[in-house]
Amino acid sequence: VAPRGGKDADNWLNGRDRFTFSARDLAPYQDMTSAEVTLLTQWCDSHMPLLAVDAARHEAVFSKYSVQNFKKGDRYWVENTQAALTEPGEWTLNRVSGELLYLPKPGETPAKTRLIAPRTEHLVLLDGAHDITFRGIEFSHSEWWFPADYRAGTFWPNSDKTWGVQQAGVDIGGAIAGDDCHGIVMDRCTVAHVGSYGVVLGGAARDNRIVSCSLYDLGAGGVRIGPTTIHGEVEKGVAASNQVSDCTLHDGGRMFPGAVAIWIGQARGTLVTHNEVHHFSYSGISCGWQWGFDQPLTTRDNVISWNRVHDMMNGILGDGAGIYLLGPQPGTLVEGNVVHDVIGSYASRGIYLDDGSSSITVKDNLAYSNKTANFFQWRSRDNIIENNVFALGADSQIELGGAVFNGGGPAMSFTRNIVVSIGDRFFNLENFADVSGIYHLHDNLFYNTAGAPGFPQAARSAGWAADSIEADPLFVDIAKHDFRLKPGSPAIQKLGFRSVDWSGAGPRPSRPTPEH
């Protein structure tokens, strides 16, 4: 993809309604009015109905704008055109004639093939509902699409002409949905084959429990809790005391890749624990929805613990993470999680403290084999990062934003962590002196599996080697990703590292019974 150019062409907020493409990538399809392009930009997906293709000029024109600007090399795919029918199981619907074409899989015949075409947006509506339990029920087959009055954001140009969501798919509805509900329990339920989020409990959702459920084959994300914006009295608008535990969420973002497996907005006292999340195209668990430091402290005291998040982003989108935090969150705890193989199209991290993430404790986590970094902190303050293992990241282990983005305030205390690098890829940072006064690293263990010391001299000059050691931590079997520590580990003996049993991360075999 290449942008067409024009005024403010380089502004990433400005979407476009056309692009130029490589020769032979697109053609003037016979069923042009049904064809649609899904365009991937940074962390977003845009859905753009095709109007025209000029094969000579290599230009495609759309009836909708992209949610962000795009650059040369951004990827897209074409859907719903007869020309793309090449593999068994594929289908296309002509929106003018109503004709459905389907290429059957081996053994399928019209007489014994069941075709399901969902039309309803919600399977259950729970606005204002309270004290209801759903137990052992399977919810399947719903549809969602952008409403006629949809706007992509108040400050996005052409937002009223866009089919796309700025981040995390937060505008997308839910198969099971309700605002301001409380005392709702979903116990051992299944939500599958839906075109939206599985469960959305919006507004001031309180005291709700999603326990031991399975959510998969999802058009967007799995669970979305709380508001993005609070209207009226702040304390009454915040989501509070909700729980997502012992659930399995996988294979989401089928239609909207930018959605998140478990998304928590402006909320307090949320417990996200012992879940397994894998194969979504963006972030796994996201908590918080405010940018910068000067924000009302609506989001606080949330716990994200003992989850297993792996095989995420799938090379599709970027700037996401296994666990993603955003905005000030006093008292929020990220503990005991296992995050690995988060591999996006570009920036992709294990644990990510984004803009304004402050007063958060990250401890006893294991993050390994993630692409850009196992831990990343952007413009943030007063965080405690302790007793974690960050290992085997492809590009780096620790990535840090500069002091210029932090206002010079204290960013974090980083202590008693084990940082293991393949070669000298410990830090992703250009200017250590720029951040030496705001990031405080001491009493850590650094190990280069290539054998050489490898700890950057610039980091040493910044004081980050203070009371730290460079030594083999003596994992049981690092090649098999067994990060238990052998007796005599220098991390234990010299630094006081607390051994952690990560085998308990993920859903528990004996799952608790919901309270309600």
Side-chain angles (χ1 to χ4, degrees):
V1 173
R4 187 169 182 259
K7 185 179 179 181
D8 297 325
D10 294 329
N11 186 340
W12 70 278
L13 296 178
N14 289 343
R16 298 292 170 191
D17 67 346
R18 61 196 65 206
F19 61 62
T20 57
F21 55 88
S22 299
R24 296 184 298 277
D25 279 0
L26 294 177
Y29 303 113
Q30 183 177 1
D31 51 351
M32 186 83 72
T33 53
S34 298
E36 179 181 302
V37 161
T38 298
L39 173 67
L40 306 177
T41 56
Q42 302 188 95
W43 54 86
C44 294
D45 52 277
S46 301
H47 302 264
M48 306 165 68
L50 197 56
L51 278 181
V53 173
D54 188 326
R57 297 177 59 190
H58 303 155
E59 182 178 74
V61 182
F62 306 94
S63 62
K64 295 287 183 180
Y65 283 73
S66 59
V67 70
Q68 297 175 339
N69 201 354
F70 40 82
K71 62 183 183 297
K72 186 175 182 179
D74 281 346
R75 295 165 302 158
Y76 65 92
W77 61 78
V78 182
E79 294 182 333
N80 205 38
T81 174
Q82 185 174 341
L85 290 180
T86 58
E87 303 295 330
E90 293 181 340
W91 58 273
T92 180
L93 175 66
N94 189 305
R95 293 194 175 105
V96 176
S97 67
E99 181 182 47
L100 175 69
L101 297 178
Y102 173 69
L103 289 184
K105 298 178 181 179
E108 289 183 333
T109 65
K112 62 179 184 179
T113 300
R114 184 187 184 205
L115 301 178
I116 298 173
R119 297 189 63 183
T120 185
E121 179 177 341
H122 305 297
L123 301 175
V124 179
L125 265 177
L126 294 167
D127 287 347
H130 59 90
D131 301 310
I132 302 172
T133 296
F134 301 94
R135 182 167 288 122
I137 301 174
E138 179 173 342
F139 301 92
S140 297
H141 304 300
S142 67
E143 179 66 292
W144 186 91
W145 199 244
F146 298 96
D149 60 350
Y150 177 74
R151 297 186 66 92
T154 56
F155 58 88
W156 241 255
N158 305 305
S159 65
D160 59 336
K161 304 179 185 68
T162 298
W163 282 349
V165 185
Q166 299 170 37
Q167 186 173 341
V170 294
D171 297 338
I172 298 169
I176 299 169
D179 284 342
D180 306 319
C181 53
H182 63 90
I184 304 299
V185 173
M186 293 186 64
D187 174 23
R188 287 165 286 178
C189 292
T190 297
V191 183
H193 319 305
V194 299
S196 61
Y197 267 87
V199 181
V200 173
L201 304 178
R206 306 202 173 193
D207 300 302
N208 303 294
R209 306 285 185 269
I210 303 173
V211 180
S212 303
C213 293
S214 176
L215 299 94
Y216 64 94
D217 192 24
L218 308 164
V223 176
R224 184 158 63 83
I225 294 177
T228 58
T229 303
I230 295 175
H231 302 283
E233 189 175 341
V234 169
E235 284 301 310
K236 292 182 179 179
V238 177
S241 303
N242 298 289
Q243 176 180 325
V244 183
S245 64
D246 297 284
C247 295
T248 301
L249 305 96
H250 64 92
D251 294 288
R254 301 280 201 177
M255 295 174 63
F256 306 102
V260 172
I262 301 174
W263 182 91
I264 309 299
Q266 300 203 38
R268 64 172 184 261
T270 313
L271 177 61
V272 180
T273 189
H274 285 285
N275 303 286
E276 182 174 16
V277 174
H278 61 93
H279 289 97
F280 286 75
S281 299
Y282 184 49
S283 295
I285 300 171
S286 176
C287 184
W289 203 247
Q290 292 177 313
W291 283 258
F293 301 120
D294 300 325
Q295 301 288 347
L297 298 180
T298 54
T299 301
R300 60 185 309 143
D301 301 317
N302 300 298
V303 176
I304 301 170
S305 64
W306 302 104
N307 302 284
R308 190 171 294 272
V309 184
H310 60 94
D311 297 287
M312 294 293 297
M313 299 187 74
N314 310 315
I316 294 177
L317 291 172
D319 203 16
I323 297 175
Y324 174 89
L325 286 298
L326 180 63
Q329 301 191 37
T332 287
L333 173 65
V334 179
E335 178 183 26
N337 302 281
V338 177
V339 184
H340 65 89
D341 292 287
V342 179
I343 303 174
S345 60
Y346 67 109
S348 36
R349 293 99 177 189
I351 299 173
Y352 183 169
L353 275 59
D354 201 0
D355 194 32
S357 295
S358 302
S359 303
I360 297 168
T361 297
V362 178
K363 70 174 186 176
D364 297 347
N365 301 280
L366 168 61
Y368 68 92
S369 297
N370 300 298
K371 183 179 186 294
T372 308
N374 290 305
F375 174 79
F376 176 40
Q377 179 164 322
W378 186 235
R379 184 175 63 153
S380 306
R381 291 180 183 165
D382 300 319
N383 298 308
I384 297 173
I385 317 300
E386 66 177 20
N387 214 79
N388 305 280
V389 171
F390 300 120
L392 310 180
D395 299 336
S396 71
Q397 316 313 312
I398 310 300
E399 186 178 10
L400 302 173
V404 64
F405 305 111
N406 216 59
M412 73 172 182
S413 171
F414 188 95
T415 182
R416 289 198 312 278
N417 300 286
I418 299 174
V419 183
V420 178
S421 179
I422 305 171
D424 61 354
R425 302 171 184 172
F426 287 105
F427 298 102
N428 184 355
L429 184 67
E430 293 182 0
N431 190 345
F432 288 92
D434 179 46
V435 297
S436 61
I438 65 170
Y439 291 111
H440 303 286
L441 285 76
H442 60 89
D443 295 284
N444 300 292
L445 183 149
F446 296 93
Y447 177 55
N448 179 354
T449 61
F455 191 74
Q457 182 57 46
R460 193 179 303 278
S461 299
W464 290 359
D467 299 315
S468 296
I469 56 176
E470 292 185 63
D472 187 340
L474 299 180
F475 293 128
V476 169
D477 193 338
I478 191 171
K480 294 183 179 179
H481 300 148
D482 187 340
F483 293 95
R484 292 176 296 165
L485 294 172
K486 296 177 182 177
S489 166
I492 297 173
Q493 293 189 340
K494 296 183 179 181
L495 299 178
F497 187 92
R498 302 182 304 273
S499 293
V500 182
D501 182 6
W502 286 293
S503 66
R508 291 163 285 193
S510 178
R511 304 180 182 185
T513 301
E515 297 175 8
H516 296 284

